[in-house]
Amino acid sequence: MGGHSQRVIWTIGGGKGGSGKSFITTNIGVCLSKMGTRVILIDADLGGANLHTFLGILPPVPTLSDFIKKRVTQLHDLLIQTNIPNLKLLTGAQDLLNAADAKNVQKRKLLRSIKDLESDYILVDLGGGNALNVLDFFLMSDGGILVVTPEPTAIENTYRFLKSAFYRRLKQTVSSYSAKTLIDQTMDPKNEAGIQTPYDLFQEVKRINEEDGRRMMEEASKFHPNLILNQVRSKKDIEIGFSMRSACHQYFGIHLHYLGYIVFDQEVSNSIRKRKPLMVENDKSKAAQCLKEIAFRLAHSGSLDSFN
Amino acid sequence: MKRIEDQTYYELLEISPDATPKEIQQAYDRAKETFQLDSLAIYSLFPQEEVTKIQAAIEEAYRVLKDEELRRSYDQSCPHLFKHLSRAQQIHPPSEKLHEMKQGLSFTDISLEIKDIPYRGTSLKQLREQLGIDLKTIAAKTKINPRILESIENEELDRLPAPVYLKGFLKAYARVLNIDPQRLIEGYFQLFQERKKK
């Protein structure tokens, strides 16, 4: 992804349900479209796709599964214009993510079709959970965004997601069977090899296959997930994002990019009840200000590295 | 990726080898907070013995770096630190990390800090404009004559009031922008000295 590149795909995922992924996806989408760029939102939430509700529109009839099952040939025909200029919606990606047997080729093909859509930004709401398909989508996109609230449960799930994504990424990089097996073992905390941390894994892989060890290190240094902290209530909460960045640096040796935070704001739930995006309903509210800042960062993130 | 034991004290505290004592203190406070056993940010990530190891490493790094003498001899014992720094900066100026730290501090409601830029009139103006605050608002909040504020920003030293008043004004202005008043005063008065030399 170059600095000027068009059609940037961001995926929003990780963590647990209720951390605000759909809310954030919708409102960042509205922000970006208000800046005059074309945006497509894609709903791929397995747990319950409801981006349409956040936008106050009816659940769309033709969905992505019609495209996958070849009932519709052009992905473009599935796009629904929302009430907001420049903002379109595509739903039903959950069907693909749900299909346990979705092949890598198929996923890449879908990703390519999505990338070919006429738009400047594409935001994919992956929902919670860390199914392999979800991880792959997260890893294949130009930038993956994790949403976390300052609670131990949410943070635990986020790290679980991050570990799964990290090891999956590494596993796809190495070529030797022994290295792949070792990575699988590492994901079990009580593994026989006694591998506790990514660092142990690097050392062990390097020992059995120097080339794979080198590749893994290189891949890890290119892995730059993004973080949004939602529902913060104090300055101390805000600091958690920086601390998580340090923790990831020490643990994985990766750079977690802290994109920003959103303050806890009653206006958020008011807007959801009205089925209107906060950015439309009350764009002067505190949470809306935070969202604007994050959208601004995303729009000027030419320097943010991609996974690919 | 480096093991804890292999990191320099600066890497451990995530600061640059030319960090000021204040930066060292801030970095230490944050690192200490981050790696407390009950810290939210590390919850479920590290095995406990790893956390203990990191804590000990952070304490040791701080013990050495906060002491001028110890820091100097540490720096001398690893000269590659600085060679590395200048070379790295030539390749990617400024390093992504430092850049992001600055960005990080500009988050709403977090006190802003103009890190590497000297605290001067021009940087005050720049910062004020970045925040989208006009001079009138500053004047209203600080109860300082806007003409004086303008002179402060434009560094028209001969138009400024006596130092004792100027100090008060700078302090008030700094508070509105949420930056460190002491650093602003120091930076500003350095300006006088520099002009004198010329």
Side-chain angles (χ1 to χ4, degrees), chain A residues 133-188:
Chain A
N133 288 330
V134 173
L135 294 178
D136 285 341
F137 232 80
F138 187 82
L139 292 169
M140 283 180 207
S141 66
D142 295 312
I145 301 172
L146 302 160
V147 177
V148 67
T149 52
E151 291 150 352
T153 42
I155 288 174
E156 184 175 19
N157 284 0
T158 300
Y159 282 142
R160 197 176 290 151
F161 181 89
L162 206 49
K163 279 181 188 173
S164 308
F166 179 75
Y167 288 128
R168 186 154 178 85
R169 180 87 190 158
L170 295 186
K171 202 178 156 189
Q172 287 163 351
T173 314
V174 298
S175 54
S176 69
Y177 179 75
S178 50
K180 281 185 197 289
T181 317
L182 211 54
I183 296 171
D184 278 339
Q185 281 180 6
T186 306
M187 290 163 89
D188 173 8

Side-chain angles (χ1 to χ4, degrees), chain B residues 84-95:
Chain B
H84 218 77
L85 173 78
S86 53
R87 214 183 319 134
Q89 279 181 340
Q90 274 161 17
I91 304 168
H92 324 273
S95 87

Side-chain angles (χ1 to χ4, degrees), chain A residues 150 152 155-156 159 199 202 235-236 238-240 243 245-247 250-252 255 257-258 261 293 297, chain B residues 1 3-4 7 14 30 33-35 40-47 100-101 104 107-110:
Chain A
I155 288 174
E156 184 175 19
Y159 282 142
Y199 185 83
F202 284 135
K235 277 200 177 180
K236 219 178 151 189
I238 295 169
E239 288 290 320
I240 290 173
S243 289
R245 188 175 71 187
S246 298
Q250 284 297 356
Y251 185 81
F252 297 105
H255 182 67
H257 187 93
Y258 188 16
Y261 62 86
E293 254 188 71
R297 283 209 183 91
Chain B
M1 154 173 227
R3 199 207 296 259
I4 289 292
Q7 293 179 27
E14 299 182 70
R30 175 133 91 206
E33 178 97 25
T34 300
F35 291 100
L40 256 186
I42 60 166
Y43 181 67
S44 79
L45 193 59
F46 292 91
E100 199 200 314
M101 275 173 91
F107 285 170
T108 339
D109 279 339
I110 285 196

Side-chain angles (χ1 to χ4, degrees), chain B residues 4-190:
Chain B
I4 289 292
E5 296 87 331
D6 302 334
Q7 293 179 27
T8 69
Y9 292 158
Y10 297 102
E11 284 171 329
L12 266 168
L13 295 179
E14 299 182 70
I15 46 176
S16 119
D18 56 5
T20 64
K22 196 181 166 196
E23 285 166 344
I24 293 171
Q25 184 64 46
Q26 283 172 342
Y28 166 72
D29 291 342
R30 175 133 91 206
K32 194 174 174 181
E33 178 97 25
T34 300
F35 291 100
Q36 264 170 5
L37 269 182
D38 60 352
S39 154
L40 256 186
I42 60 166
Y43 181 67
S44 79
L45 193 59
F46 292 91
Q48 187 160 335
E49 59 273 25
E50 189 73 15
V51 178
T52 320
K53 226 162 67 181
I54 296 172
Q55 283 171 341
I58 288 169
E59 289 302 329
E60 178 59 15
Y62 176 64
R63 187 186 69 82
V64 171
L65 295 187
K66 75 167 181 201
D67 185 303
E68 239 173 87
E69 197 85 351
L70 291 175
R71 183 180 176 186
R72 203 173 310 131
S73 58
Y74 175 73
D75 288 350
Q76 278 162 2
S77 71
C78 33
H80 62 280
L81 265 177
F82 293 90
K83 241 186 270 162
H84 218 77
L85 173 78
S86 53
R87 214 183 319 134
Q89 279 181 340
Q90 274 161 17
I91 304 168
H92 324 273
S95 87
E96 193 205 325
K97 212 148 175 197
L98 288 172
H99 178 70
E100 199 200 314
M101 275 173 91
K102 257 183 266 157
Q103 225 185 28
L105 285 162
S106 78
F107 285 170
T108 339
D109 279 339
I110 285 196
S111 62
L112 285 154
E113 215 147 340
I114 18 178
K115 271 235 166 94
D116 303 326
I117 322 162
Y119 280 56
R120 294 284 156 86
T122 43
S123 38
L124 273 178
K125 187 172 180 179
Q126 222 178 354
L127 189 59
R128 174 177 63 74
E129 284 169 353
Q130 263 174 26
L131 292 168
I133 307 172
D134 60 13
L135 210 55
K136 270 190 214 147
T137 315
I138 306 271
K141 283 199 175 177
T142 56
K143 304 200 173 62
I144 302 173
N145 185 327
R147 283 232 295 279
I148 294 181
L149 286 173
E150 217 167 36
S151 299
I152 289 179
E153 287 190 345
N154 296 335
E155 298 172 1
E156 299 164 303
L157 304 189
D158 44 347
R159 292 189 173 194
L160 293 174
V164 56
Y165 295 111
L166 180 59
K167 262 187 200 172
F169 291 165
L170 290 171
K171 208 186 252 177
Y173 195 165
R175 291 227 172 94
V176 178
L177 293 184
N178 214 0
I179 60 173
D180 183 357
Q182 205 46 47
R183 268 189 77 179
L184 175 65
I185 292 169
E186 279 166 20
Y188 212 93
F189 278 84
Q190 216 177 328

Side-chain angles (χ1 to χ4, degrees), chain A residues 68 70 82 92 100 111 120 130 175 194 214-215 240 284 299-300:
Chain A
I68 294 156
K70 300 197 170 122
T82 67
L111 196 79
D120 299 313
N130 47 1
S175 54
R214 197 193 52 74
R215 271 196 217 155
I240 290 173
K284 298 276 183 295
H300 296 87

Side-chain angles (χ1 to χ4, degrees), chain A residues 13-30:
Chain A
K16 74 194 234 309
S19 62
K21 291 176 288 295
S22 302
F23 166 77
I24 289 171
T25 307
T26 308
N27 282 286
I28 288 180
V30 176

